[in-house]
Amino acid sequence: GNSVTQMEGPVTLSEEAFLTINCTYTATGYPSLFWYVQYPGEGLQLLLKATKADDKGSNKGFEATYRKETTSFHLEKGSVQVSDSAVYFCALDSGGGADGLTFGKGTHLIIQP
Amino acid sequence: SQTIHQWPATLVQPVGSPLSLECTVEGTSNPNLYWYRQAAGRGLQLLFYSVGIGQISSEVPQNLSASRPQDRQFILSSKKLLLSDSGFYLCAWSLWGQYEQYFGPGTRLTVT
């Protein structure tokens, strides 16, 4: 079956540091890949996505590249801010959109000023 | 633009009591609808999804049920809550043929 593995954290960084959150996946076929962000007490917000190999998703300074050869979709940001503190979820969809997403367990990111 | 609503935002219920959580979507027609549960320290678990009125698929056997009485309304229910039902319940929607899902603000359920 499908699965997503990501570093759980918490990951603690100083403001302006470089961020990488690793995500690898197992899936049949050619899944679409997503990063979602969850701020405290809120629902999930779609951060970025990629639908095919070598696609790069980007939003709000975050980037992730769909690497089929390594089955990875690592999230990066060049300079983090305190406001980036949240839980980040990697997810995939290989069911044509109707069957729901498969999520990783989430990575808690803490940015210190 | 589309919006998704969930209520209540928080709920504290005793063991054995019934449950009804509601989710509605505005600004779109015939969405796919989903219920997820997020337990503390865990990722999201898909509970139910629906591709149309009255069409419900269950992913996990449990004492919860879901119904879709109207196109943009999705209800999560239980006749008798268990302690293990505590968690953060999220409703989401997507359009047919699109992979991304959009989430509501969630309901925090505590069963005591």
Side-chain angles (χ1 to χ4, degrees):
Chain A
N2 298 336
S3 67
V4 176
T5 303
Q6 60 178 111
M7 49 200 300
E8 293 188 28
V11 174
T12 303
L13 296 173
S14 298
E15 204 166 20
E16 299 184 1
F18 184 86
L19 168 70
T20 299
I21 300 178
N22 290 337
C23 170
T24 57
Y25 67 90
T26 302
T28 55
Y30 302 94
S32 294
L33 301 173
F34 306 89
W35 277 101
Y36 282 84
V37 59
Q38 185 179 32
Y39 298 101
E42 299 183 7
L44 275 68
Q45 300 176 25
L46 178 63
L47 181 59
L48 53 83
K49 67 178 181 181
T51 58
K52 61 183 187 297
D54 300 325
D55 266 3
K56 177 184 284 188
S58 61
N59 186 25
K60 299 181 180 179
F62 291 91
E63 293 184 340
T65 301
Y66 190 141
R67 301 288 188 198
K68 191 173 188 305
E69 64 276 12
T70 55
T71 62
S72 65
F73 193 53
H74 305 322
L75 183 68
E76 297 182 335
K77 186 175 185 182
S79 176
V80 292
Q81 306 300 313
V82 171
S83 57
D84 293 326
S85 299
V87 180
Y88 292 81
F89 291 92
C90 185
L92 68 82
D93 184 321
S94 60
D99 299 342
L101 300 175
T102 300
F103 284 87
K105 292 187 176 181
T107 300
H108 187 194
L109 175 65
I110 301 170
I111 307 300
Q112 296 177 335
Chain B
S1 64
Q2 301 89 355
T3 56
I4 179 169
H5 305 278
Q6 286 187 245
W7 64 90
T10 60
L11 190 59
V12 180
Q13 293 283 95
V15 169
S17 63
L19 173 72
S20 181
L21 303 181
E22 188 164 344
C23 169
T24 58
V25 180
E26 296 177 355
T28 188
S29 296
N30 197 28
N32 298 321
L33 295 172
Y34 309 85
W35 278 112
Y36 290 87
R37 176 169 60 201
Q38 184 179 21
R42 293 181 154 186
L44 278 75
Q45 180 185 38
L46 178 64
L47 302 175
F48 301 94
Y49 67 92
S50 170
V51 298
I53 295 174
Q55 300 178 62
I56 309 295
S57 297
S58 174
E59 290 293 304
V60 181
Q62 60 217 326
N63 70 321
L64 299 172
S65 62
S67 62
R68 185 170 177 175
Q70 300 180 39
D71 180 44
R72 291 169 289 175
Q73 184 184 30
F74 205 23
I75 297 172
L76 183 69
S77 303
S78 174
K79 292 182 179 179
K80 288 186 178 182
L81 283 168
L82 305 173
L83 284 174
S84 58
D85 291 324
S86 293
F88 193 47
Y89 288 81
L90 289 158
C91 182
W93 70 273
S94 70
L95 290 177
W96 185 260
Q98 294 184 359
Y99 299 102
E100 57 266 38
Q101 295 179 15
Y102 300 94
F103 286 79
T107 294
R108 174 75 59 191
L109 172 65
T110 303
V111 182
T112 61

